[in-house]
Amino acid sequence: MKQEFIFIGPPGSGKGTQTKLLSKDYNLPHIDTGSLLREEVSSGSENGKLANSFMEKGQLVPIELVSQIIKNRLLKDDCKNGFILDGYPRSLEQAEALDNILKEVNSDTNINLQAFYFNVPEERLIERLVNRRSCPRCGTIYNLKTMNLKNKEICENCGSKLVQRDDDTEEIARKRFDTYFAQTEPLIEFYKKRGILTELDASLSIEEIYKNLTGAIKNYVNS
Ligand code: AMP
């Protein structure tokens, strides 16, 4: 069965961390629009420049650009058994665009499509975002406050210098939340009405959230 998972949640709710774990255990590609857009920005392309003008304000990048990037990615061979969408869709308009993209990329009739909502109180999130650092080489994500790093600047996994994302400042983080509540939160009702949404308490530990996530996938598949 082709497994298609959609992860919805505010910035800093831990979607990325959970996707990395699930991606490894289920052998599914992790498709994260934020990272795909940051790659486009680093390439210096015209699309990258356009995307950056929205990203630096904490706003959504225009749907045409994001839909194109997603469609090209979902057509790649490694998505034939499924994928995990982290950070897409982020608006009702994008959810409708995704329905159309899935019709094009899914030739398989046996599909398990599930959406997960990572729910965490907003104040916890701001604290997580401003303390978030990541490794540009191996992708490990750290929280300077909750993780006891020997050296707060160095990745414990591969020794590279950790970086902070440009949009993980308090000012831009607050704007990203405004965008989330106005445009992304309505997706919770959208997928709930379809009967494919599971809500997860994302204020728990990484291990507990992962246990609940994989438990919900198994229950759904077996029901
Ligand atoms: P993220 O890494 O998921 O926090 O995304 C960083 C930024 O990339 C967001 O604040 C948006 O500006 C942009 N972005 C990521 N995903 C999308 C999307 N699905 N639609 C539009 N813009 C997006």
Side-chain angles (χ1 to χ4, degrees):
M1 191 188 303
K2 189 170 176 186
Q3 309 274 8
E4 301 182 342
F5 301 128
I6 297 170
F7 282 12
I8 304 164
S13 56
K15 303 184 299 294
T17 302
Q18 295 295 324
T19 321
K20 282 194 176 69
L21 295 171
L22 195 66
S23 164
K24 204 162 153 234
D25 287 350
Y26 279 60
N27 198 20
L28 294 172
H30 171 186
I31 301 175
D32 157 16
T33 40
S35 298
L36 292 172
L37 288 164
R38 280 186 287 280
E39 274 169 28
E40 197 69 49
V41 173
S42 310
S43 78
S45 69
E46 284 308 312
N47 278 343
K49 285 182 196 143
L50 176 71
N52 198 37
S53 66
F54 291 87
M55 292 166 81
E56 65 190 10
K57 289 189 236 135
Q59 294 170 354
L60 294 186
V61 169
I63 185 165
E64 298 74 23
L65 179 53
V66 182
S67 297
Q68 194 56 45
I69 290 178
I70 282 287
K71 188 171 157 194
N72 290 344
R73 183 65 190 87
L74 296 187
L75 283 168
K76 290 202 173 149
D77 212 39
D78 64 340
C79 292
K80 67 178 186 307
N81 295 325
F83 42 79
I84 308 165
L85 289 177
D86 167 11
Y88 181 90
R90 279 196 196 201
S91 64
L92 290 172
E93 199 188 9
Q94 289 188 8
E96 280 154 16
L98 176 63
D99 283 343
N100 291 327
I101 295 172
L102 291 183
K103 275 188 209 138
E104 285 185 53
V105 302
N106 282 335
S107 49
D108 193 329
T109 48
N110 206 0
I111 290 154
N112 171 35
L113 177 67
Q114 277 183 268
F116 295 92
Y117 164 41
F118 291 75
N119 191 3
V120 196
E122 185 178 344
E123 281 317 309
R124 295 272 302 269
L125 293 170
I126 294 279
E127 196 180 278
R128 277 193 194 175
L129 286 181
V130 298
N131 285 298
R132 177 163 69 179
R133 299 291 182 276
S134 62
C135 173
R137 194 193 303 168
C138 71
T140 307
I141 300 167
Y142 296 93
N143 182 306
L144 296 188
K145 201 155 178 200
T146 58
M147 295 175 164
N148 205 4
L149 296 185
K150 275 191 219 107
N151 182 334
K152 291 187 186 303
E153 295 191 352
I154 302 293
C155 175
E156 295 201 337
N157 190 37
C158 73
S160 302
K161 193 167 170 17
L162 297 176
V163 294
Q164 180 178 27
R165 275 172 47 172
D166 293 343
D167 58 356
D168 274 348
T169 60
E170 181 157 350
E171 193 197 344
I172 305 181
R174 294 218 180 258
K175 290 191 184 136
R176 288 160 65 205
F177 282 113
D178 293 344
T179 305
Y180 171 79
F181 288 118
Q183 301 193 57
T184 312
E185 212 180 39
L187 289 180
I188 297 163
E189 252 340 279
F190 179 87
Y191 287 115
K192 208 184 256 176
K193 277 198 189 127
R194 286 200 180 173
I196 60 166
L197 186 91
T198 300
E199 178 168 338
L200 297 167
D201 178 355
S203 55
L204 300 175
S205 70
I206 292 173
E207 295 75 19
E208 284 171 305
I209 302 168
Y210 191 62
K211 194 166 144 251
N212 294 340
L213 169 67
T214 49
I217 294 174
K218 285 185 192 124
N219 283 341
Y220 192 87
V221 171
N222 295 329
S223 65

